[in-house]
PDB file of all heavy atoms in Angstrom:
ATOM      1  N   ARG A  27       2.057  25.282   8.290  1.00 98.00           N
ATOM      2  CA  ARG A  27       1.573  26.013   9.463  1.00 98.00           C
ATOM      3  C   ARG A  27       1.275  27.445   9.070  1.00 98.00           C
ATOM      4  O   ARG A  27       1.414  27.826   7.918  1.00 98.00           O
ATOM      5  CB  ARG A  27       2.604  25.989  10.589  1.00 98.00           C
ATOM      6  CG  ARG A  27       3.942  26.637  10.266  1.00 98.00           C
ATOM      7  CD  ARG A  27       4.894  26.498  11.463  1.00 98.00           C
ATOM      8  NE  ARG A  27       6.223  27.039  11.182  1.00 98.00           N
ATOM      9  CZ  ARG A  27       6.560  28.295  11.402  1.00 98.00           C
ATOM     10  NH1 ARG A  27       5.687  29.145  11.907  1.00 98.00           N
ATOM     11  NH2 ARG A  27       7.804  28.712  11.135  1.00 98.00           N
ATOM     12  N   LEU A  28       0.862  28.240  10.040  1.00 98.00           N
ATOM     13  CA  LEU A  28       0.589  29.663   9.838  1.00 98.00           C
ATOM     14  C   LEU A  28       1.890  30.449   9.976  1.00 98.00           C
ATOM     15  O   LEU A  28       2.592  30.307  10.989  1.00 98.00           O
ATOM     16  CB  LEU A  28      -0.431  30.144  10.867  1.00 98.00           C
ATOM     17  CG  LEU A  28      -0.689  31.654  10.916  1.00 98.00           C
ATOM     18  CD1 LEU A  28      -1.300  32.156   9.621  1.00 98.00           C
ATOM     19  CD2 LEU A  28      -1.583  31.979  12.113  1.00 98.00           C
ATOM     20  N   VAL A  29       2.199  31.253   8.960  1.00 98.00           N
ATOM     21  CA  VAL A  29       3.382  32.114   9.001  1.00 98.00           C
ATOM     22  C   VAL A  29       3.000  33.502   8.503  1.00 98.00           C
ATOM     23  O   VAL A  29       1.929  33.689   7.911  1.00 98.00           O
ATOM     24  CB  VAL A  29       4.539  31.561   8.136  1.00 98.00           C
ATOM     25  CG1 VAL A  29       5.026  30.228   8.672  1.00 98.00           C
ATOM     26  CG2 VAL A  29       4.113  31.438   6.674  1.00 98.00           C
ATOM     27  N   GLU A  30       3.913  34.454   8.720  1.00 98.00           N
ATOM     28  CA  GLU A  30       3.694  35.797   8.206  1.00 98.00           C
ATOM     29  C   GLU A  30       4.363  35.939   6.837  1.00 98.00           C
ATOM     30  O   GLU A  30       5.298  35.209   6.503  1.00 98.00           O
ATOM     31  CB  GLU A  30       4.252  36.828   9.171  1.00 98.00           C
ATOM     32  CG  GLU A  30       3.523  36.860  10.490  1.00 98.00           C
ATOM     33  CD  GLU A  30       3.987  37.993  11.398  1.00 98.00           C
ATOM     34  OE1 GLU A  30       4.960  38.683  11.026  1.00 98.00           O
ATOM     35  OE2 GLU A  30       3.377  38.184  12.458  1.00 98.00           O
ATOM     36  N   ALA A  31       3.878  36.879   6.069  1.00 98.00           N
ATOM     37  CA  ALA A  31       4.457  37.151   4.756  1.00 98.00           C
ATOM     38  C   ALA A  31       5.953  37.426   4.899  1.00 98.00           C
ATOM     39  O   ALA A  31       6.377  38.121   5.827  1.00 98.00           O
ATOM     40  CB  ALA A  31       3.764  38.338   4.103  1.00 98.00           C
ATOM     41  N   GLY A  32       6.725  36.860   3.990  1.00 98.00           N
ATOM     42  CA  GLY A  32       8.162  37.028   4.013  1.00 98.00           C
ATOM     43  C   GLY A  32       8.913  35.922   4.721  1.00 98.00           C
ATOM     44  O   GLY A  32      10.133  35.796   4.562  1.00 98.00           O
ATOM     45  N   GLU A  33       8.218  35.124   5.492  1.00 98.00           N
ATOM     46  CA  GLU A  33       8.869  34.041   6.220  1.00 98.00           C
ATOM     47  C   GLU A  33       9.075  32.828   5.318  1.00 98.00           C
ATOM     48  O   GLU A  33       8.657  32.808   4.159  1.00 98.00           O
ATOM     49  CB  GLU A  33       8.053  33.669   7.454  1.00 98.00           C
ATOM     50  CG  GLU A  33       8.037  34.760   8.514  1.00 98.00           C
ATOM     51  CD  GLU A  33       7.366  34.308   9.802  1.00 98.00           C
ATOM     52  OE1 GLU A  33       6.691  33.258   9.791  1.00 98.00           O
ATOM     53  OE2 GLU A  33       7.515  35.005  10.810  1.00 98.00           O
ATOM     54  N   SER A  34       9.718  31.818   5.891  1.00 98.00           N
ATOM     55  CA  SER A  34      10.050  30.595   5.154  1.00 98.00           C
ATOM     56  C   SER A  34       9.445  29.375   5.834  1.00 98.00           C
ATOM     57  O   SER A  34       9.185  29.382   7.044  1.00 98.00           O
ATOM     58  CB  SER A  34      11.566  30.434   5.073  1.00 98.00           C
ATOM     59  OG  SER A  34      12.159  31.515   4.385  1.00 98.00           O
ATOM     60  N   LEU A  35       9.241  28.329   5.039  1.00 98.00           N
ATOM     61  CA  LEU A  35       8.786  27.038   5.538  1.00 98.00           C
ATOM     62  C   LEU A  35       9.442  25.946   4.724  1.00 98.00           C
ATOM     63  O   LEU A  35       9.769  26.150   3.556  1.00 98.00           O
ATOM     64  CB  LEU A  35       7.267  26.891   5.376  1.00 98.00           C
ATOM     65  CG  LEU A  35       6.328  27.458   6.419  1.00 98.00           C
ATOM     66  CD1 LEU A  35       4.897  27.189   5.986  1.00 98.00           C
ATOM     67  CD2 LEU A  35       6.603  26.867   7.780  1.00 98.00           C
ATOM     68  N   ARG A  36       9.605  24.782   5.331  1.00 98.00           N
ATOM     69  CA  ARG A  36      10.028  23.601   4.586  1.00 98.00           C
ATOM     70  C   ARG A  36       9.000  22.502   4.779  1.00 98.00           C
ATOM     71  O   ARG A  36       8.738  22.076   5.909  1.00 98.00           O
ATOM     72  CB  ARG A  36      11.396  23.091   5.029  1.00 98.00           C
ATOM     73  CG  ARG A  36      11.901  21.980   4.104  1.00 98.00           C
ATOM     74  CD  ARG A  36      13.301  21.522   4.413  1.00 98.00           C
ATOM     75  NE  ARG A  36      13.351  20.585   5.529  1.00 98.00           N
ATOM     76  CZ  ARG A  36      14.335  19.728   5.716  1.00 98.00           C
ATOM     77  NH1 ARG A  36      15.354  19.682   4.873  1.00 98.00           N
ATOM     78  NH2 ARG A  36      14.327  18.924   6.770  1.00 98.00           N
ATOM     79  N   LEU A  37       8.432  22.069   3.684  1.00 98.00           N
ATOM     80  CA  LEU A  37       7.504  20.949   3.699  1.00 98.00           C
ATOM     81  C   LEU A  37       8.262  19.656   3.427  1.00 98.00           C
ATOM     82  O   LEU A  37       9.236  19.652   2.671  1.00 98.00           O
ATOM     83  CB  LEU A  37       6.417  21.131   2.646  1.00 98.00           C
ATOM     84  CG  LEU A  37       5.606  22.425   2.690  1.00 98.00           C
ATOM     85  CD1 LEU A  37       4.521  22.387   1.632  1.00 98.00           C
ATOM     86  CD2 LEU A  37       5.040  22.670   4.063  1.00 98.00           C
TER      87      LEU A  37
END
Side-chain angles (χ1 to χ4, degrees):
R27 61 182 177 89
L28 172 64
V29 296
E30 294 186 354
E33 292 187 346
S34 299
L35 276 179
R36 188 175 80 157
L37 305 184

